[in-house]
Amino acid sequence: ALGKRDRRELERRLEVLVMHLLKWCYQPERRTRSRSWRSTIREQRRRLARLLQDSPSLRSEVPMFLDDGYPHARGKALDETALPPETLPPTCPWMAAQVLDDAFWPEG
């Protein structure tokens, strides 16, 4: 049961993280006004790091969860930004290591 819960948490946190990375990348003019994006990105990365530390076997599944969850994250980002759909890439533009890296901040 723990494994299942951890997997769901991984999936959910990656989705939130990727949605905010998309908004960060494709709406750079909103970054200064929206400090919450930066803090949400940092917080999700911190919690993902802790989750992967506690359940190291999940690390190998991050790329799969990233691919599977990307359409949902993209859809939410489109809903929240009202950007035209063609603005956001159809598949995740970042590698798993980049998404999890505290020093990675994508530029649009």
Side-chain angles (χ1 to χ4, degrees), residues 70-105:
Y70 181 77
H72 303 287
R74 181 180 179 272
K76 282 184 178 177
L78 287 171
D79 288 347
E80 291 189 15
T81 60
L83 287 167
E86 60 275 9
T87 308
L88 302 184
T91 58
C92 189
W94 310 296
M95 306 292 290
Q98 290 176 302
V99 169
L100 298 174
D101 181 358
D102 284 335
F104 176 71
W105 295 88

Short mmCIF file of all heavy atoms in Angstrom, two decimals, residues 70-105:
data_model
loop_
_atom_site.label_atom_id
_atom_site.label_comp_id
_atom_site.label_asym_id
_atom_site.label_seq_id
_atom_site.Cartn_x
_atom_site.Cartn_y
_atom_site.Cartn_z
N TYR A 70 2.46 14.37 -18.41
CA TYR A 70 2.65 15.64 -19.11
C TYR A 70 1.37 16.18 -19.75
O TYR A 70 1.07 17.37 -19.61
CB TYR A 70 3.78 15.54 -20.15
CG TYR A 70 3.98 16.84 -20.87
CD1 TYR A 70 4.66 17.89 -20.25
CD2 TYR A 70 3.46 17.07 -22.14
CE1 TYR A 70 4.82 19.11 -20.88
CE2 TYR A 70 3.61 18.28 -22.78
CZ TYR A 70 4.30 19.31 -22.15
OH TYR A 70 4.44 20.52 -22.77
N PRO A 71 0.57 15.35 -20.44
CA PRO A 71 -0.65 15.91 -21.05
C PRO A 71 -1.57 16.57 -20.02
O PRO A 71 -2.19 17.61 -20.31
CB PRO A 71 -1.33 14.68 -21.69
CG PRO A 71 -0.21 13.72 -21.94
CD PRO A 71 0.77 13.94 -20.81
N HIS A 72 -1.65 16.01 -18.82
CA HIS A 72 -2.48 16.61 -17.76
C HIS A 72 -1.89 17.94 -17.31
O HIS A 72 -2.60 18.93 -17.15
CB HIS A 72 -2.61 15.65 -16.57
CG HIS A 72 -3.18 14.32 -16.95
ND1 HIS A 72 -4.50 14.13 -17.27
CD2 HIS A 72 -2.58 13.12 -17.08
CE1 HIS A 72 -4.70 12.85 -17.58
NE2 HIS A 72 -3.55 12.22 -17.47
N ALA A 73 -0.57 17.95 -17.08
CA ALA A 73 0.11 19.18 -16.65
C ALA A 73 -0.04 20.26 -17.72
O ALA A 73 -0.31 21.43 -17.41
CB ALA A 73 1.58 18.89 -16.37
N ARG A 74 0.11 19.87 -18.97
CA ARG A 74 -0.02 20.80 -20.10
C ARG A 74 -1.44 21.36 -20.16
O ARG A 74 -1.65 22.56 -20.33
CB ARG A 74 0.34 20.08 -21.40
CG ARG A 74 0.27 20.96 -22.63
CD ARG A 74 0.66 20.12 -23.89
NE ARG A 74 0.58 20.94 -25.07
CZ ARG A 74 -0.54 21.10 -25.79
NH1 ARG A 74 -1.66 20.50 -25.43
NH2 ARG A 74 -0.51 21.87 -26.87
N GLY A 75 -2.43 20.48 -20.01
CA GLY A 75 -3.83 20.91 -20.03
C GLY A 75 -4.14 21.90 -18.93
O GLY A 75 -4.80 22.92 -19.15
N LYS A 76 -3.63 21.63 -17.72
CA LYS A 76 -3.86 22.54 -16.60
C LYS A 76 -3.17 23.88 -16.85
O LYS A 76 -3.73 24.93 -16.55
CB LYS A 76 -3.34 21.93 -15.30
CG LYS A 76 -4.25 20.88 -14.70
CD LYS A 76 -3.67 20.42 -13.37
CE LYS A 76 -4.58 19.41 -12.70
NZ LYS A 76 -3.98 18.91 -11.45
N ALA A 77 -1.95 23.82 -17.38
CA ALA A 77 -1.22 25.06 -17.67
C ALA A 77 -1.99 25.88 -18.72
O ALA A 77 -2.10 27.11 -18.60
CB ALA A 77 0.19 24.76 -18.16
N LEU A 78 -2.54 25.21 -19.74
CA LEU A 78 -3.32 25.92 -20.75
C LEU A 78 -4.57 26.54 -20.13
O LEU A 78 -4.91 27.68 -20.42
CB LEU A 78 -3.70 24.98 -21.90
CG LEU A 78 -2.56 24.58 -22.84
CD1 LEU A 78 -3.00 23.47 -23.79
CD2 LEU A 78 -2.04 25.80 -23.62
N ASP A 79 -5.24 25.80 -19.24
CA ASP A 79 -6.43 26.32 -18.58
C ASP A 79 -6.10 27.57 -17.76
O ASP A 79 -6.85 28.54 -17.76
CB ASP A 79 -7.05 25.28 -17.64
CG ASP A 79 -7.72 24.14 -18.39
OD1 ASP A 79 -7.95 24.26 -19.61
OD2 ASP A 79 -8.01 23.12 -17.74
N GLU A 80 -4.97 27.52 -17.05
CA GLU A 80 -4.64 28.61 -16.13
C GLU A 80 -4.02 29.82 -16.82
O GLU A 80 -4.05 30.91 -16.27
CB GLU A 80 -3.70 28.10 -15.03
CG GLU A 80 -4.41 27.15 -14.08
CD GLU A 80 -3.59 26.81 -12.86
OE1 GLU A 80 -2.59 27.50 -12.57
OE2 GLU A 80 -3.97 25.84 -12.16
N THR A 81 -3.44 29.63 -18.00
CA THR A 81 -2.76 30.74 -18.67
C THR A 81 -3.56 31.32 -19.82
O THR A 81 -3.30 32.43 -20.24
CB THR A 81 -1.40 30.28 -19.24
OG1 THR A 81 -1.64 29.24 -20.20
CG2 THR A 81 -0.46 29.81 -18.16
N ALA A 82 -4.50 30.54 -20.37
CA ALA A 82 -5.25 30.94 -21.57
C ALA A 82 -4.33 31.15 -22.77
O ALA A 82 -4.67 31.88 -23.70
CB ALA A 82 -6.11 32.18 -21.29
N LEU A 83 -3.16 30.52 -22.75
CA LEU A 83 -2.27 30.57 -23.91
C LEU A 83 -2.87 29.72 -25.03
O LEU A 83 -3.58 28.75 -24.75
CB LEU A 83 -0.89 30.01 -23.55
CG LEU A 83 0.01 30.86 -22.65
CD1 LEU A 83 1.19 30.03 -22.14
CD2 LEU A 83 0.51 32.09 -23.39
N PRO A 84 -2.57 30.05 -26.29
CA PRO A 84 -3.03 29.18 -27.38
C PRO A 84 -2.35 27.81 -27.26
O PRO A 84 -1.16 27.74 -26.92
CB PRO A 84 -2.56 29.89 -28.66
CG PRO A 84 -2.00 31.21 -28.24
CD PRO A 84 -1.82 31.21 -26.76
N PRO A 85 -3.09 26.72 -27.50
CA PRO A 85 -2.54 25.37 -27.32
C PRO A 85 -1.22 25.13 -28.04
O PRO A 85 -0.35 24.44 -27.53
CB PRO A 85 -3.64 24.46 -27.87
CG PRO A 85 -4.89 25.25 -27.74
CD PRO A 85 -4.50 26.70 -27.90
N GLU A 86 -1.05 25.74 -29.22
CA GLU A 86 0.19 25.50 -29.97
C GLU A 86 1.41 26.12 -29.30
O GLU A 86 2.55 25.81 -29.68
CB GLU A 86 0.06 25.97 -31.43
CG GLU A 86 -0.24 27.44 -31.61
CD GLU A 86 -1.73 27.79 -31.53
OE1 GLU A 86 -2.56 26.92 -31.15
OE2 GLU A 86 -2.07 28.96 -31.81
N THR A 87 1.19 26.96 -28.29
CA THR A 87 2.31 27.58 -27.56
C THR A 87 3.11 26.54 -26.78
O THR A 87 4.33 26.61 -26.71
CB THR A 87 1.78 28.64 -26.56
OG1 THR A 87 0.92 29.53 -27.25
CG2 THR A 87 2.93 29.42 -25.94
N LEU A 88 2.39 25.59 -26.17
CA LEU A 88 3.06 24.60 -25.31
C LEU A 88 3.37 23.34 -26.10
O LEU A 88 2.53 22.85 -26.85
CB LEU A 88 2.18 24.25 -24.10
CG LEU A 88 1.77 25.42 -23.20
CD1 LEU A 88 0.98 24.91 -22.01
CD2 LEU A 88 2.98 26.22 -22.75
N PRO A 89 4.59 22.81 -25.93
CA PRO A 89 4.98 21.61 -26.68
C PRO A 89 4.08 20.42 -26.37
O PRO A 89 3.60 20.28 -25.24
CB PRO A 89 6.42 21.34 -26.23
CG PRO A 89 6.66 22.20 -25.06
CD PRO A 89 5.64 23.28 -25.01
N PRO A 90 3.83 19.57 -27.37
CA PRO A 90 2.94 18.42 -27.18
C PRO A 90 3.53 17.34 -26.27
O PRO A 90 2.79 16.55 -25.68
CB PRO A 90 2.73 17.89 -28.59
CG PRO A 90 3.86 18.42 -29.39
CD PRO A 90 4.31 19.69 -28.74
N THR A 91 4.85 17.30 -26.15
CA THR A 91 5.50 16.35 -25.24
C THR A 91 6.43 17.13 -24.32
O THR A 91 6.85 18.24 -24.65
CB THR A 91 6.32 15.27 -25.99
OG1 THR A 91 7.30 15.94 -26.79
CG2 THR A 91 5.43 14.41 -26.87
N CYS A 92 6.74 16.56 -23.19
CA CYS A 92 7.55 17.25 -22.18
C CYS A 92 8.89 17.66 -22.77
O CYS A 92 9.64 16.82 -23.28
CB CYS A 92 7.75 16.36 -20.96
SG CYS A 92 8.52 17.26 -19.59
N PRO A 93 9.21 18.96 -22.71
CA PRO A 93 10.45 19.45 -23.32
C PRO A 93 11.70 19.26 -22.47
O PRO A 93 12.79 19.60 -22.90
CB PRO A 93 10.16 20.95 -23.52
CG PRO A 93 9.18 21.29 -22.45
CD PRO A 93 8.36 20.04 -22.22
N TRP A 94 11.53 18.70 -21.25
CA TRP A 94 12.68 18.57 -20.35
C TRP A 94 12.90 17.13 -19.93
O TRP A 94 11.99 16.33 -19.85
CB TRP A 94 12.46 19.43 -19.10
CG TRP A 94 12.05 20.82 -19.44
CD1 TRP A 94 12.80 21.75 -20.11
CD2 TRP A 94 10.79 21.46 -19.16
NE1 TRP A 94 12.08 22.91 -20.25
CE2 TRP A 94 10.85 22.76 -19.69
CE3 TRP A 94 9.63 21.04 -18.51
CZ2 TRP A 94 9.79 23.66 -19.58
CZ3 TRP A 94 8.57 21.94 -18.41
CH2 TRP A 94 8.66 23.22 -18.94
N MET A 95 14.15 16.84 -19.63
CA MET A 95 14.51 15.53 -19.11
C MET A 95 14.13 15.48 -17.63
O MET A 95 14.07 16.50 -16.96
CB MET A 95 16.03 15.29 -19.23
CG MET A 95 16.60 15.48 -20.62
SD MET A 95 16.01 14.22 -21.76
CE MET A 95 16.87 12.80 -21.13
N ALA A 96 13.95 14.26 -17.12
CA ALA A 96 13.59 14.08 -15.71
C ALA A 96 14.61 14.76 -14.79
O ALA A 96 14.24 15.43 -13.82
CB ALA A 96 13.48 12.59 -15.38
N ALA A 97 15.89 14.61 -15.11
CA ALA A 97 16.94 15.20 -14.26
C ALA A 97 16.80 16.72 -14.19
O ALA A 97 17.02 17.32 -13.14
CB ALA A 97 18.32 14.81 -14.77
N GLN A 98 16.42 17.35 -15.31
CA GLN A 98 16.24 18.80 -15.33
C GLN A 98 15.05 19.20 -14.45
O GLN A 98 15.14 20.15 -13.66
CB GLN A 98 15.99 19.30 -16.75
CG GLN A 98 17.19 19.21 -17.66
CD GLN A 98 16.84 19.63 -19.08
OE1 GLN A 98 15.94 19.04 -19.69
NE2 GLN A 98 17.53 20.62 -19.59
N VAL A 99 13.94 18.49 -14.61
CA VAL A 99 12.73 18.81 -13.86
C VAL A 99 13.00 18.77 -12.36
O VAL A 99 12.53 19.62 -11.61
CB VAL A 99 11.59 17.84 -14.25
CG1 VAL A 99 10.41 17.97 -13.32
CG2 VAL A 99 11.16 18.09 -15.70
N LEU A 100 13.81 17.82 -11.92
CA LEU A 100 14.10 17.64 -10.50
C LEU A 100 15.23 18.53 -9.99
O LEU A 100 15.43 18.64 -8.78
CB LEU A 100 14.44 16.17 -10.21
CG LEU A 100 13.33 15.16 -10.50
CD1 LEU A 100 13.86 13.75 -10.32
CD2 LEU A 100 12.10 15.40 -9.63
N ASP A 101 15.96 19.16 -10.90
CA ASP A 101 17.17 19.93 -10.54
C ASP A 101 16.82 21.33 -10.02
O ASP A 101 16.26 22.14 -10.75
CB ASP A 101 18.07 20.03 -11.77
CG ASP A 101 19.36 20.78 -11.51
OD1 ASP A 101 19.58 21.27 -10.37
OD2 ASP A 101 20.18 20.89 -12.45
N ASP A 102 17.19 21.61 -8.77
CA ASP A 102 16.93 22.91 -8.15
C ASP A 102 17.51 24.08 -8.94
O ASP A 102 17.01 25.20 -8.87
CB ASP A 102 17.53 22.97 -6.74
CG ASP A 102 16.69 22.18 -5.75
OD1 ASP A 102 15.49 22.00 -5.99
OD2 ASP A 102 17.27 21.74 -4.73
N ALA A 103 18.56 23.82 -9.69
CA ALA A 103 19.23 24.91 -10.42
C ALA A 103 18.64 25.12 -11.80
O ALA A 103 19.03 26.07 -12.50
CB ALA A 103 20.73 24.60 -10.53
N PHE A 104 17.72 24.27 -12.23
CA PHE A 104 17.15 24.38 -13.58
C PHE A 104 15.90 25.26 -13.59
O PHE A 104 14.91 24.96 -12.93
CB PHE A 104 16.80 22.98 -14.12
CG PHE A 104 16.13 23.00 -15.47
CD1 PHE A 104 16.84 23.33 -16.61
CD2 PHE A 104 14.79 22.70 -15.59
CE1 PHE A 104 16.22 23.38 -17.86
CE2 PHE A 104 14.15 22.73 -16.83
CZ PHE A 104 14.88 23.07 -17.95
N TRP A 105 15.99 26.36 -14.35
CA TRP A 105 14.85 27.27 -14.53
C TRP A 105 14.73 27.52 -16.03
O TRP A 105 15.53 28.27 -16.60
CB TRP A 105 15.09 28.58 -13.77
CG TRP A 105 15.14 28.33 -12.29
CD1 TRP A 105 16.24 28.00 -11.56
CD2 TRP A 105 14.03 28.31 -11.39
NE1 TRP A 105 15.88 27.79 -10.26
CE2 TRP A 105 14.53 27.98 -10.12
CE3 TRP A 105 12.67 28.58 -11.55
CZ2 TRP A 105 13.71 27.89 -9.00
CZ3 TRP A 105 11.86 28.48 -10.43
CH2 TRP A 105 12.38 28.15 -9.17
#
